[in-house]
Amino acid sequence: MISLLVAMATFALVTSISPGPVNILATVTSANYGYIRTIPHITGATFGFVSILFLLGFGLSQFMTEIPYLAKGMTYIGGGFLLYLAYKVTTQESTIKSKGSVESNAAPSLLQGMMCQWLNPKAWIVSLAGISVFYTGQNTGLEVLLLFCGIFFVVCYLSISVWALLGITISSMIDTPKQFRLFNLSMGLLLGITVLYTFFISS
């Protein structure tokens, strides 16, 4: 049992901490709005991922296997949405007027954080891989699925928070609107690249 827990936690950490659309958005949001206003995005993204994981383990993965074009269609629809977000990040004006002064633009909400996962091809790929490795649904009790979801909830929340704290660190080193525009441009392009890479690995 201990070895299973370690394996699940390791898988969750490696897949959650790696660069991806949700983590990049957490960094951008935290850099522009601060960590507190990034919490809804972190919480929503965590719930969103765990809900995907649970539904796939509960039987959705078999349904998707029987309809192969469904997964591919979801990948392109979700990827298109994330590319739109990349464009919005790239063209976003700085929310920082001066050091310590933040405009009252709306940071991502909890629901938007959930949608970022539900429309994130990487989340579906990782969840499908995790379910196939740790939970087959055959000779495996539901408690194993719930345990896997619980581990992923904790690890995912902490991993996205690490990226948000990176945003705080970056914002402490740049303090002019021009620098923030350059940062947003760089992160938007990085987000776009990660989405295109997801298209490549899922094709």
Side-chain angles (χ1 to χ4, degrees), residues 98-171:
S98 61
K99 196 74 170 180
S101 175
V102 184
E103 294 183 8
S104 59
N105 295 355
S109 66
L110 185 144
L111 179 59
Q112 288 171 328
M114 292 184 67
M115 291 298 295
C116 282
Q117 287 289 31
W118 273 89
L119 295 174
N120 178 10
K122 178 191 173 185
W124 288 92
I125 293 171
V126 169
S127 296
L128 281 169
I131 290 301
S132 65
V133 172
F134 296 104
Y135 185 78
T136 62
Q138 301 174 349
N139 302 320
T140 305
L142 181 62
E143 64 273 8
V144 175
L145 176 61
L146 294 176
L147 176 63
F148 194 30
C149 289
I151 290 173
F152 240 115
F153 184 91
V154 174
V155 174
C156 185
Y157 194 98
L158 293 176
S159 296
I160 301 174
S161 294
V162 168
W163 282 83
L165 292 174
L166 174 62
I168 294 293
T169 302
I170 292 172
S171 68

Side-chain angles (χ1 to χ4, degrees), residues 28 40-41 51 55 66 71 73 84 86 90 92 97 100 136 138 155 184:
V28 173
H41 170 77
S51 65
L55 288 175
E66 294 173 353
Y84 168 73
T90 301
Q92 176 176 284
K97 291 179 178 179
T136 62
Q138 301 174 349
V155 174
N184 290 336

